[in-house]
């Protein structure tokens, strides 16, 4: 579908000829073909102020356009509280879809009847605006008053709003495939006046068959998220009742919520259907993939300083609800770690044991994890970390540079699954490319059970390892992998490469006794 009037004009439509297009038709096409422009137009009419599009709004708009275009049928959007999700995804999007097709069938759910009824009233309020009725006369409401729970358009469209625990049987969202096929092949493709239909066809919009969706906004209350009983009730309610309320396999299901628990509805669906759901996750702190610099997702709402303060107040809530990275509060392998300021780093003879432990990636999806540290009798001071899924031809260069820049005296690399050749290549780059003859590189074959090693050394890791105070920002992925790792490791999506390497650091520290058990090899 053409996305803007500019594109329409590039199709060589002559707007100067009498009867071709007028101002209302121009505005109508602009609103129909751009969800962003529609949202700005209706927000201004409703609230008499401008709708400012931020980075996360545009990402949401783009993914919702893919839903309308039929490219996505199962969508999860995770975003923090009070970041405009309901206004954009529920109120604006549903009213826009009724403009596209007044015969849409929508089922809207949330944890509270009060919330869905308020959203329902707001959607109907948008559709009662004079500008909406002028631009989309065929999308007229059957009644501008009446029940918030269920209302219709004159064309036969309908919205049913109810809580996730309410009665949903008897209502189906979207249209039957036979209805869609009939519309797609018949003359009654569009539901606007003949002139508008003709204009839409001229800009390349040959069909208009979006038929509605199931829209779920916050299926569970934050205060209920800790209850296994409530979470399971919501998840099973979706599985046994809500999921089946679609009239066609083409009917989309959209869930938008802040993450509340690792086993909330989003976590449950991603665990049982990882390849089915498209997930748009929008953490409030964004990290530039090239520079590593952080910036706020929506500075108008929270700047970085404010976000850091929120994290200090309650790290678990912040990581879960704002960063969309739910941290389990029970069964964690590790608890609060020691931290240090740079001025506390040992120097001189105390800092002579500058070591690095490297766990190479076993498979294509694993991470290479290298941890540089200063070993002292009291503490292990972690000074640098490489945690990446980049291919070996890149990690060889990255590791060689890290060893040299941190003045590492000894590096121990697991030789399992190609690690020995990897070590040789790193040594070559260290010696020839960087002229570093200080770092001694050894390899060894790890024969012990990984899970058993991680568990048996976890107490020493917690008590003897210290990280820099900003390690949660400096090595974000590594931090998340360590702080969310569970004793039972039931989260199949969680890699164990970070805790494995951290365990290796403890074992390397005790290598005098280890030397009797493992055979080190010079590279």
């Amino acid at each position: 579908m053409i996305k803007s009037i500019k594109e329409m004009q590039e199709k060589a439509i002559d707007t100067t000829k009498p009867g071709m297009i007028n101002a209302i038709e121009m505005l109508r096409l602009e609103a129909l073909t751009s969800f962003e422009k529609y949202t700005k137009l209706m927000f201004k009419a409703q609230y008499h102020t401008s709708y400012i599009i931020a980075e996360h709004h545009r990402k949401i708009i783009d993914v919702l356009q893919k839903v309308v275009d039929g490219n996505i049928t199962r969508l999860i959007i995770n975003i923090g509280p009070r970041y405009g999700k309901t206004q954009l995804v529920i109120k604006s999007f549903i009213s826009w879809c009724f403009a596209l097709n007044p015969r849409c069938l929508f089922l809207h759910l949330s944890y509270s009847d009060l919330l869905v009824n308020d959203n329902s009233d707001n959607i109907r309020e948008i559709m009662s605006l004079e500008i909406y009725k002028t631009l989309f006369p065929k999308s007229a409401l059957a009644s501008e008053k009446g029940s918030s729970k269920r209302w219709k358009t004159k064309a036969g469209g309908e919205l049913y709003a109810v809580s996730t625990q309410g009665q949903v049987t008897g209502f189906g969202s979207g249209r039957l495939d036979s209805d869609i096929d009939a519309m797609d092949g018949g003359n009654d493709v569009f539901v606007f006046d003949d002139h508008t239909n003709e204009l839409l066809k001229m800009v390349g919009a040959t069909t208009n068959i979006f038929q509605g969706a199931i829209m779920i906004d916050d299926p569970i209350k934050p205060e209920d998220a800790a209850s296994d009983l409530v979470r399971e009730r919501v998840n099973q309610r979706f599985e046994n009742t809500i999921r089946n309320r679609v009239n066609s396999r083409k009917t989309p299901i959209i869930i938008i919520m802040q993450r509340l628990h690792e086993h909330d509805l989003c976590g449950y669906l991603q665990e049982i259907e990882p390849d089915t759901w498209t997930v748009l996750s929008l953490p409030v702190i964004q990290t530039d993939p090239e520079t590593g610099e952080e910036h706020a997702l929506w500075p108008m709402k929270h700047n970085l300083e404010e976000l850091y303060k929120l994290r200090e107040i309650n790290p678990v809530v912040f990581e879960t609800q704002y960063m969309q990275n739910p941290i389990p509060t029970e069964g964690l392998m590790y608890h609060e770690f020691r931290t240090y300021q740079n001025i506390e780093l040992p120097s001189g003879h105390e800092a002579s044991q500058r070591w690095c432990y490297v766990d190479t990636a076993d498979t294509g999806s694993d991470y290479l994890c290298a941890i540089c540290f200063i070993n002292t009798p009291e503490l292990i001071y972690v000074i640098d970390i490489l945690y990446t899924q980049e291919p070996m031809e890149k990690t060889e260069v990255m590791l060689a540079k890290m060893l040299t820049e941190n003045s590492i005296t000894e590096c121990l690399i697991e030789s399992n699954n190609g690690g020995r050749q990897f070590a040789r290549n790193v040594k070559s780059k260290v010696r020839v490319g960087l002229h570093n003859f200080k770092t001694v590189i050894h390899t060894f074959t790890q024969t012990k059970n990984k899970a058993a090693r991680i568990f048996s050394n976890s107490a020493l890791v917690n008590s003897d390892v210290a990280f820099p105070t900003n390690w949660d920002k400096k090595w974000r992925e590594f931090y998340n992998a360590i702080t969310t790792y569970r004793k039972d490791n039931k989260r199949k999506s969680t890699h164990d490469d970070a805790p494995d390497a951290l365990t290796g650091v403890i074992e390397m520290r005790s290598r005098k006794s280890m030397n009797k058990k493992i055979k080190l090899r010079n590279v």
Side-chain angles (χ1 to χ4, degrees):
M1 179 181 285
I2 300 300
K3 298 283 194 298
S4 71
I5 291 300
K6 182 179 179 182
E7 291 183 57
M8 180 197 72
Q9 291 171 336
E10 289 173 354
K11 290 277 188 178
I13 294 179
D14 185 359
T15 60
T16 64
K17 292 180 180 179
M20 276 303 296
I21 191 167
N22 59 36
I24 291 178
E25 290 165 339
M26 178 74 79
L27 190 58
R28 178 185 299 153
L29 285 172
E30 186 88 323
L32 288 174
T33 55
S34 171
F35 178 40
E36 178 178 334
K37 291 182 174 66
Y38 167 86
T39 297
K40 289 180 177 179
L41 181 66
M42 295 302 157
F43 191 86
K44 182 77 171 180
Q46 188 175 18
Y47 298 108
H48 310 291
T49 187
S50 297
Y51 188 90
I52 307 300
I53 299 289
E55 175 188 357
H56 68 287
H57 295 132
R58 191 157 282 113
K59 289 180 178 179
I60 292 172
I61 287 169
D62 289 344
V63 77
L64 289 176
Q65 182 66 57
K66 291 178 181 177
V67 171
V68 169
D69 291 343
N71 298 321
I72 295 175
T73 58
R74 298 293 179 267
L75 174 64
I76 289 172
I77 302 175
N78 294 137
I79 190 169
R82 310 302 299 168
Y83 268 65
K85 61 182 178 63
T86 300
Q87 177 65 43
L88 186 59
V89 181
I90 301 300
K91 301 172 184 178
S92 186
F93 180 70
I94 292 178
S95 63
W96 182 58
C97 290
F98 276 120
L100 292 172
N101 182 2
R103 290 177 288 202
C104 282
L105 297 177
F106 276 100
L107 173 60
H108 172 40
L109 304 109
S110 184
Y111 67 81
S112 162
D113 278 318
L114 184 63
L115 288 176
V116 291
N117 289 339
D118 181 69
N119 291 342
S120 175
D121 282 338
N122 201 281
I123 295 166
R124 196 162 50 180
E125 187 178 310
I126 295 171
M127 295 173 67
S128 299
L129 294 169
E130 287 303 317
I131 189 170
Y132 189 98
K133 292 191 290 186
T134 300
L135 293 178
F136 316 116
K138 297 289 186 179
S139 302
L141 295 165
S143 172
E144 293 184 7
K145 296 181 180 180
S147 172
S148 301
K149 186 172 184 177
R150 193 167 189 172
W151 48 262
K152 299 181 179 182
T153 65
K154 290 182 178 179
E158 190 170 352
L159 183 139
Y160 181 40
V162 66
S163 74
T164 48
Q165 296 303 316
Q167 179 68 33
V168 297
T169 54
F171 183 87
S173 57
R175 294 280 177 180
L176 296 172
D177 288 338
S178 57
D179 294 341
I180 297 174
D181 293 339
M183 287 184 65
D184 196 14
N187 296 322
D188 188 22
V189 175
F190 297 106
V191 289
F192 307 106
D193 57 87
D194 293 339
H195 190 50
T196 303
N197 290 343
E198 188 61 32
L199 290 169
L200 285 166
K201 292 176 182 178
M202 290 175 70
V203 300
T206 56
T207 60
N208 181 25
I209 59 173
F210 185 74
Q211 300 293 325
I214 294 178
M215 310 288 295
I216 304 175
D217 182 16
D218 287 336
I220 187 171
K221 288 191 294 186
E223 52 265 38
D224 288 340
S227 168
D228 293 341
L229 180 64
V230 176
R231 285 196 320 275
E232 184 63 19
R233 184 186 301 147
V234 170
N235 294 348
Q236 291 307 307
R237 176 71 168 167
F238 176 87
E239 197 65 63
N240 299 328
T241 306
I242 298 171
R243 183 197 289 273
N244 302 323
R245 294 297 94 201
V246 294
N247 285 327
S248 165
R249 63 174 59 89
K250 299 175 185 176
T251 301
I253 301 177
I254 300 174
I255 302 171
I256 180 164
M257 63 179 288
Q258 55 184 302
R259 291 304 305 270
L260 297 171
H261 191 276
E262 60 174 339
H263 299 306
D264 58 19
L265 181 58
C266 291
Y268 166 75
L269 292 173
Q270 289 177 72
E271 183 175 342
I272 66 168
E273 298 175 328
D275 300 324
T276 299
W277 292 83
T278 297
V279 180
L280 175 61
S281 181
L282 297 166
V284 293
I285 297 178
Q286 300 281 301
T287 304
D288 188 300
E290 295 183 1
T291 66
E293 293 184 3
E294 294 183 332
H295 66 273
L297 178 66
W298 195 12
M300 278 183 59
K301 179 70 175 178
H302 293 117
N303 58 37
L304 270 182
E305 184 178 347
E306 292 168 332
L307 292 171
Y308 293 155
K309 184 65 177 178
L310 284 174
R311 181 162 57 194
E312 288 176 11
I313 294 171
N314 194 324
V316 173
V317 169
F318 183 83
E319 197 67 29
T320 300
Q321 297 184 24
Y322 287 86
M323 294 302 292
Q324 312 313 314
N325 179 45
I327 295 179
T329 55
E330 296 180 0
L332 291 175
M333 182 68 74
Y334 307 109
H335 300 286
E336 189 172 347
F337 281 92
R338 289 188 171 196
T339 58
Y340 67 85
Q341 302 278 354
N342 285 336
I343 57 174
E344 300 175 71
L345 272 177
S347 58
H349 179 71
E350 274 191 315
S352 60
Q353 293 182 333
R354 303 177 72 91
W355 297 342
C356 180
Y357 184 90
V358 183
D359 175 25
T360 56
D362 292 338
T363 67
S365 63
D366 285 342
Y367 284 76
L368 176 138
C369 186
I371 302 176
C372 294
F373 60 98
I374 298 174
N375 182 50
T376 72
E378 294 80 24
L379 280 178
I380 291 170
Y381 294 85
V382 175
I383 57 175
D384 206 356
I385 290 174
L386 177 61
Y387 187 66
T388 178
Q389 289 180 303
E390 292 283 359
M392 279 194 173
E393 57 267 23
K394 290 188 177 181
T395 56
E396 290 165 359
V397 176
M398 295 163 73
L399 179 58
K401 184 178 179 182
M402 186 171 81
L403 296 174
T404 304
E405 290 179 346
N406 287 285
S407 301
I408 299 301
T409 57
E410 186 172 342
C411 176
L412 185 59
I413 300 176
E414 285 191 22
S415 61
N416 307 50
N417 298 298
R420 189 162 171 76
Q421 183 59 48
F422 173 81
R424 290 196 189 99
N425 295 342
V426 171
K427 181 177 180 180
S428 174
K429 289 173 171 55
V430 164
R431 300 284 189 265
V432 179
L434 298 172
H435 307 290
N436 171 9
F437 297 93
K438 182 178 181 178
T439 305
V440 177
I441 299 177
H442 295 295
T443 64
F444 79 100
T445 301
Q446 181 63 261
T447 58
K448 293 183 178 180
N449 178 269
K450 183 185 294 187
R453 288 174 47 244
I454 292 173
F455 181 81
S456 61
N457 285 283
S458 59
L460 283 175
V461 168
N462 252 141
S463 63
D464 290 9
V465 176
F467 292 96
T469 52
N470 66 337
W471 72 296
D472 57 333
K473 299 188 289 289
K474 191 173 184 180
W475 307 306
R476 164 62 58 183
E477 281 193 280
F478 177 86
Y479 172 85
N480 288 339
I482 290 294
T483 56
T484 62
Y485 189 78
R486 300 188 62 161
K487 293 176 183 177
D488 56 15
N489 195 23
K490 287 182 179 179
R491 298 178 68 190
K492 297 178 182 179
S493 61
T494 302
H495 289 275
D496 54 13
D497 308 297
D500 184 25
L502 201 52
T503 299
V505 166
I506 292 292
E507 293 171 335
M508 186 176 179
R509 187 192 198 197
S510 306
R511 77 182 192 279
K512 285 187 178 180
S513 60
M514 285 176 59
N515 284 343
K516 300 175 183 178
K517 301 176 183 179
I518 65 172
K519 183 178 180 181
L520 298 180
R521 299 182 180 88
N522 290 323
V523 176

